[in-house]
Amino acid sequence: MPASDPALAGAAAVALTGLAEAYRPRPVTPLMPWRFPNRLVKPYVVTARGRQWDDNMVDIARGTATRQLEFDDAMGAVGLGVVVLHLGEDGLYLVVQSWARDFQSRLSIFSGMDVGDLRPAPIGAAPGVWELEVLSHERAAYVTHILTGDVDIDAWLDDALDTRPKVRYDGIPSGT
């Protein structure tokens, strides 16, 4: 909708403009797949500017995600899942998605100030734009490699989103 639409006049238009001016893409880092008996998981880390992650943080988040994935398995998951650890500006978020029977998925969100205090997010919480970027990619990968044609688990595992800045070898080095 154009900003001049009367339905979005006044405060709504100002709010949208502020969001558009403040938005910045965040790097998405795919990690090595997690392999469990009867389950494969594609983990990712999304980082806001100035945030850093390490293997210990991922291990702690993996513990939380694993408990949720075990519950999802009991509720009918088919053994494929996605986990997004997002180090945001205002805290941490952990999104756990399991593909389930009947073309459904199970989605759980955890939040906290630190990876050690991740708790189920309040009812009604949904993934943010950065987590949705990963989930959108993963939905497309699931349809392409699992639901259409032959089931190709290796292609599904290889089809990972990676939006980290690429090293440039031409021009003047800029550090980005």
Side-chain angles (χ1 to χ4, degrees):
M1 291 181 167
S4 61
D5 190 303
L8 294 176
V14 171
L16 290 174
T17 301
L19 285 173
E21 290 173 355
Y23 172 78
R24 299 290 179 270
R26 294 183 178 174
V28 175
T29 303
L31 305 179
M32 294 299 294
W34 297 342
R35 298 174 186 274
F36 302 91
N38 303 313
R39 185 182 328 117
L40 293 170
V41 178
K42 291 169 66 175
Y44 291 89
V45 177
V46 177
T47 50
R49 178 171 284 196
R51 298 298 304 259
Q52 295 182 338
W53 58 274
D54 58 36
D55 290 341
N56 185 54
M57 292 174 77
V58 171
D59 287 343
I60 294 169
R62 180 178 171 150
T64 301
T66 298
R67 289 187 293 280
Q68 182 61 49
L69 291 163
E70 289 169 351
F71 179 79
D72 291 353
D73 288 349
M75 297 301 292
V78 296
L80 301 178
V82 177
V83 170
V84 181
L85 174 61
H86 180 188
L87 285 66
E89 292 176 351
D90 60 346
L92 271 66
Y93 303 91
L94 182 68
V95 178
V96 180
Q97 180 189 24
S98 297
W99 291 106
R101 292 179 175 83
D102 299 326
F103 310 105
Q104 301 294 314
S105 66
R106 295 187 51 80
L107 185 71
S108 300
I109 302 174
F110 301 84
S111 61
M113 294 309 294
D114 187 77
V115 74
D117 64 77
L118 287 170
R119 301 288 182 265
I123 292 174
V129 294
W130 298 283
E131 297 99 355
L132 285 171
E133 179 181 18
V134 176
L135 296 179
S136 176
H137 173 88
E138 286 302 322
R139 183 247 176 228
Y142 185 74
V143 169
T144 299
H145 303 297
I146 305 301
L147 299 181
T148 57
D150 294 329
V151 173
D152 190 341
I153 298 293
D154 291 332
W156 175 77
L157 287 170
D158 289 341
D159 190 348
L161 180 64
D162 186 345
T163 67
R164 295 174 290 177
K166 306 295 185 242
V167 176
R168 293 186 55 194
Y169 295 106
D170 61 335
I172 300 171
S174 64
T176 60

